[in-house]
Amino acid sequence: MHSRDDVAEHGGVRSVLRTLDLLSLFTEETSQWSVRELSEASGLAKTTTLRLVSTLERSGLLWPTGSGNYAPGPGLLRWSRLAGSAWQPTPAARQVMGDLVRRCGETVNIYVRSGLHRVCVAQQEGPQNLRHVVRVGDELPLWSGAASRILLAAADDALLERVVAAAPHRTSAAELRSRIDRARADGCAVTHGERERGASGIFAPVVDEKGSVVAAIGIGGPTPRFTDDAVRRFAAHVRTAAQEVSRAGVTAHLPGRAEA
Amino acid sequence: MHSRDDVAEHGGVRSVLRTLDLLSLFTEETSQWSVRELSEASGLAKTTTLRLVSTLERSGLLWPTGSGNYAPGPGLLRWSRLAGSAWQPTPAARQVMGDLVRRCGETVNIYVRSGLHRVCVAQQEGPQNLRHVVRVGDELPLWSGAASRILLAAADDALLERVVAAAPHRTSAAELRSRIDRARADGCAVTHGERERGASGIFAPVVDEKGSVVAAIGIGGPTPRFTDDAVRRFAAHVRTAAQEVSRAGVTAHLPGRAEA
């Protein structure tokens, strides 16, 4: 038996997660949705969707466009400013990223782990036209990619099981663990076409003063430019950059962060 | 009597609003909070606060800084990009704002109404050092300011009652209504020190093709620069700018918006 408060509490967290999921459907490419479309895409009942959309509209996070559709609301602008200031790379980190772009000629990204994802929190674009495009704020899965192997350095078995469970193909936690261990031994991780055919990446750990991994810094680009020779050269630059950023700190909040 | 679903549903919306309220406590100036501080500032019980903070952390919207504090999370970066693209002023609107800055020498803002607030959605800063600083994304009250009188043009009595109820001093809906009517007759609203001593503003309506007000565009600055002569001159420029933006549209979502 549940008391009324228990039920409300349980439903409360669920509603918060559902509301955030609805908001996640809005992207730059698909920025307008009707309640019916949101209901279909989320799998939520239409009445539930309508109730959550109304709440989001009331909070300024969704905006009625007048044609029965909803678009991202002006309330997001405040959070935009907040995210910008909280996750602004330090000038030193920005400098290291710029140097790494110049040395490798590839796009430089910094990722952090957020739950079962890695999130790109900083980027310096490479000079070439053929690029592996990831945007700041993008959430990518942890079951693939060089940055993931770095960010999972301290992961326990339970986390690895959840990570591989999210993968579309069969992969084992033991296999992922051995790749993570290999990356730790090498001081960096190198992947080719692991999630996306033709995309390569080299990432190294940014650590806090306790040696815990707080972020992964590295480069990504098309596999044909990641020849064996280039990988050796790039890997050395990426490791150096990671050490420099570890000393300088990534953002105001990242140095000294205890690993969760 | 409520069924379990009713209770959960009711608690659900409440939890969503509480969660967003917690997130609103994070500002650029106060970007780190402990659960205890959040509980005190929000008036929520510590267990409730902890549960909502955990949900926000799980969603990447809050980030544990390792010292028991929380900071804005990397999940906000995606919303930042979304807000930026949805609320990016059209090139034409940007041009009009730039012209208005050059003609008046004051900071230009565009506001929209979101519930009981007006939100600054676009800004072009003026050239002078003494400025009235409002930032894009700031939510200001509707009971004061020239922009509010413009945005409330189509407000019914119920909305005006809610607006004046939020004001810190006693003011009547009838009084606010007469100021709104006056602004409509004049084609713009002028205020001096209404909310903040020494701050003046002149705003005019941006309308859609049906003539409904969708936004307010205008200038704000220190009252000593808003002499009678300047106000006459500025008002003419602000009205012209509003007509130009009404034709051009403010952002991708604002033209053709039916008034709620």
Side-chain angles (χ1 to χ4, degrees):
Chain A
M1 285 292 291
H2 295 285
S3 74
R4 269 176 56 171
D5 272 2
D6 280 348
V7 176
E9 189 156 314
H10 188 77
V13 167
R14 197 185 52 190
S15 288
V16 172
L17 293 174
R18 283 175 167 179
T19 304
L20 297 176
D21 284 348
L22 279 187
L23 208 48
S24 297
L25 291 171
F26 290 79
T27 63
E28 281 154 292
E29 293 73 28
T30 314
S31 67
Q32 294 210 23
W33 293 78
S34 68
V35 170
R36 190 179 52 76
E37 289 165 343
L38 287 170
S39 163
E40 282 168 14
S42 64
L44 295 175
K46 202 168 164 195
T47 50
T48 306
T49 308
L50 191 60
R51 177 169 51 87
L52 298 180
V53 164
S54 300
T55 308
L56 285 169
E57 182 186 351
R58 214 168 120 189
S59 308
L61 299 177
L62 287 183
W63 182 257
T65 60
S67 49
N69 281 347
Y70 287 86
L76 293 170
L77 289 167
R78 206 188 73 84
W79 290 352
S80 167
R81 233 175 51 214
L82 195 60
S85 73
W87 290 90
Q88 184 70 41
T90 62
R94 189 53 76 191
Q95 173 75 41
V96 173
M97 294 176 80
D99 289 346
L100 190 54
V101 167
R102 275 183 294 279
R103 280 172 193 148
C104 302
E106 300 292 347
T107 296
V108 171
N109 289 312
I110 296 180
Y111 287 93
V112 299
R113 178 166 86 78
S114 173
L116 287 183
H117 293 93
R118 54 188 162 109
V119 182
C120 177
V121 296
Q123 179 172 82
Q124 198 99 343
E125 285 192 89
Q128 308 191 61
N129 290 325
L130 184 62
R131 294 182 207 163
H132 182 221
V133 178
V134 171
R135 288 166 301 185
V136 169
D138 274 352
E139 286 188 350
L140 296 175
L142 279 175
W143 48 260
S144 79
S148 298
R149 297 186 191 175
I150 300 300
L151 294 174
L152 290 171
D156 57 20
D157 289 343
L159 175 57
L160 287 196
E161 287 295 348
R162 285 168 65 214
V163 166
V164 297
H169 45 74
R170 211 150 53 137
T171 178
S172 73
E175 202 178 320
L176 183 56
R177 172 73 73 197
S178 86
R179 290 174 180 166
I180 293 165
D181 290 345
R182 169 82 188 275
R184 189 192 293 105
D186 292 347
C188 70
V190 182
T191 53
H192 301 289
E194 198 171 89
R195 188 177 56 91
E196 226 180 292
R197 188 194 296 266
S200 293
I202 305 179
F203 280 79
V206 176
V207 297
D208 65 14
E209 73 274 19
K210 292 175 222 130
S212 303
V213 175
V214 295
I217 184 172
I219 56 172
T223 300
R225 295 203 297 253
F226 283 64
T227 59
D228 288 353
D229 269 4
V231 165
R232 263 189 298 276
R233 198 163 49 80
F234 289 169
H237 291 315
V238 167
R239 277 190 295 253
T240 304
Q243 285 156 12
E244 287 168 357
V245 174
S246 296
R247 277 193 295 273
V250 186
T251 71
H253 295 307
L254 276 184
R257 185 193 170 226
E259 182 70 343
Chain B
M1 284 294 289
H2 295 285
S3 75
R4 268 176 56 173
D5 273 2
D6 281 348
V7 176
E9 187 156 315
H10 187 77
V13 166
R14 197 186 51 191
S15 288
V16 173
L17 294 173
R18 282 174 168 178
T19 304
L20 297 175
D21 283 347
L22 279 186
L23 207 48
S24 296
L25 291 172
F26 290 79
T27 63
E28 282 155 291
E29 293 72 30
T30 315
S31 67
Q32 294 209 26
W33 292 78
S34 69
V35 171
R36 190 179 52 76
E37 290 166 341
L38 287 171
S39 163
E40 283 168 11
S42 64
L44 296 174
K46 201 165 165 197
T47 50
T48 306
T49 308
L50 191 59
R51 174 168 54 87
L52 299 180
V53 164
S54 302
T55 308
L56 285 169
E57 181 185 353
R58 214 168 122 190
S59 309
L61 299 177
L62 287 184
W63 183 257
T65 59
S67 50
N69 282 349
Y70 288 86
L76 292 171
L77 290 168
R78 210 189 70 85
W79 290 356
S80 167
R81 231 175 53 212
L82 196 60
S85 75
W87 291 90
Q88 184 69 40
T90 62
R94 190 53 77 194
Q95 172 75 41
V96 172
M97 294 175 81
D99 290 345
L100 190 54
V101 167
R102 276 184 291 280
R103 281 173 191 148
C104 302
E106 300 292 346
T107 296
V108 170
N109 289 310
I110 296 180
Y111 287 93
V112 299
R113 178 167 85 80
S114 174
L116 287 184
H117 293 94
R118 53 188 164 110
V119 182
C120 178
V121 296
Q123 178 171 85
Q124 197 100 346
E125 285 192 88
Q128 309 192 59
N129 290 326
L130 182 61
R131 292 182 209 164
H132 183 220
V133 177
V134 170
R135 289 166 302 186
V136 170
D138 275 352
E139 287 189 348
L140 297 175
L142 280 175
W143 49 260
S144 78
S148 298
R149 298 187 190 176
I150 301 300
L151 294 173
L152 290 171
D156 57 19
D157 290 343
L159 175 57
L160 288 196
E161 288 295 346
R162 285 168 64 214
V163 166
V164 297
H169 45 73
R170 210 147 58 133
T171 177
S172 73
E175 202 177 321
L176 183 54
R177 173 73 74 196
S178 84
R179 290 173 181 166
I180 293 165
D181 290 344
R182 168 80 188 274
R184 189 191 292 107
D186 291 348
C188 71
V190 182
T191 53
H192 301 290
E194 198 171 89
R195 189 178 57 93
E196 225 181 291
R197 190 194 296 264
S200 293
I202 306 180
F203 280 79
V206 176
V207 296
D208 66 13
E209 73 273 16
K210 295 177 219 125
S212 303
V213 175
V214 294
I217 183 172
I219 57 173
T223 301
R225 295 204 296 254
F226 283 63
T227 59
D228 289 351
D229 269 4
V231 165
R232 262 189 298 275
R233 198 163 49 80
F234 288 170
H237 291 315
V238 167
R239 277 190 297 252
T240 303
Q243 285 157 12
E244 287 168 357
V245 174
S246 297
R247 278 193 295 274
V250 185
T251 72
H253 295 307
L254 275 185
R257 185 193 170 227
E259 182 69 345

